[in-house]
Amino acid sequence: MAGPEPDTIAVAPAAHSRGGLADFVRRTLRIEGVPIVREADGLALSSRNAYLTPAERGVAPALNRALVAAAASVRSGADPRAAEREAAASLFAAGFAKVDYVEICDAATLEPITRLGWPARVLGAAWLGATRLIDNIAVPARR
């Protein structure tokens, strides 16, 4: 005898990604967003953080700072692609070895935007040593 089928999943916004879990879940379950829990320095809490060396842990909050700066830049009218490039450059300057992506996307579709006129998210993934860190932040629509 089968048990009840789940109908809700709680995911942090960090689970936003193109395809994968988000698409599968969106078709079958109701999604309820929950806030990202962060350390005092802005680093998102994650089991991945345990793999960081002490030196890498000191650099890791730069990911959140870069995304926050990109969000502020685009809210001030900057071109989203320019804000993404600036964020990626700041990650390399901070000591990240590789930046998989920094993208400013429509919050609902996760498609890249060309201008801010609706709610968006800044998504980022970058490597410190052997650890891939991911994060994202909301960019509310300008009024």
Side-chain angles (χ1 to χ4, degrees):
M1 178 199 291
E5 293 292 322
D7 65 358
T8 303
I9 185 171
V11 296
H16 283 289
S17 66
R18 293 177 196 244
L21 174 67
D23 285 342
F24 170 77
V25 170
R26 195 173 296 126
R27 290 190 307 266
T28 58
L29 301 174
R30 183 179 78 243
I31 299 175
E32 292 184 16
V34 296
I36 295 174
V37 179
R38 297 186 181 278
E39 298 279 356
D41 60 7
L43 180 64
L45 289 183
S46 171
S47 59
R48 299 172 193 207
N49 298 350
Y51 299 114
L52 298 170
T53 67
E56 291 166 345
R57 175 59 185 84
V59 172
L63 177 58
N64 180 257
R65 288 192 302 269
L67 302 185
V68 168
S73 181
V74 78
R75 274 193 54 83
S76 296
D79 173 67
R81 302 296 82 79
E84 293 166 355
R85 286 189 301 272
E86 191 172 308
S90 74
L91 291 172
F92 285 120
F96 281 79
K98 179 181 176 186
V99 176
D100 286 345
Y101 58 85
V102 174
E103 291 188 332
I104 302 170
C105 300
D106 178 280
T109 67
L110 299 182
E111 292 296 320
I113 62 171
T114 57
R115 64 180 175 79
L116 185 63
W118 48 86
R121 294 202 79 82
V122 183
L123 312 174
W127 292 83
L128 276 175
T131 307
R132 183 176 188 254
L133 299 178
I134 61 172
D135 201 352
N136 75 89
I137 63 161
V139 184
R142 288 192 305 203
R143 297 185 190 261

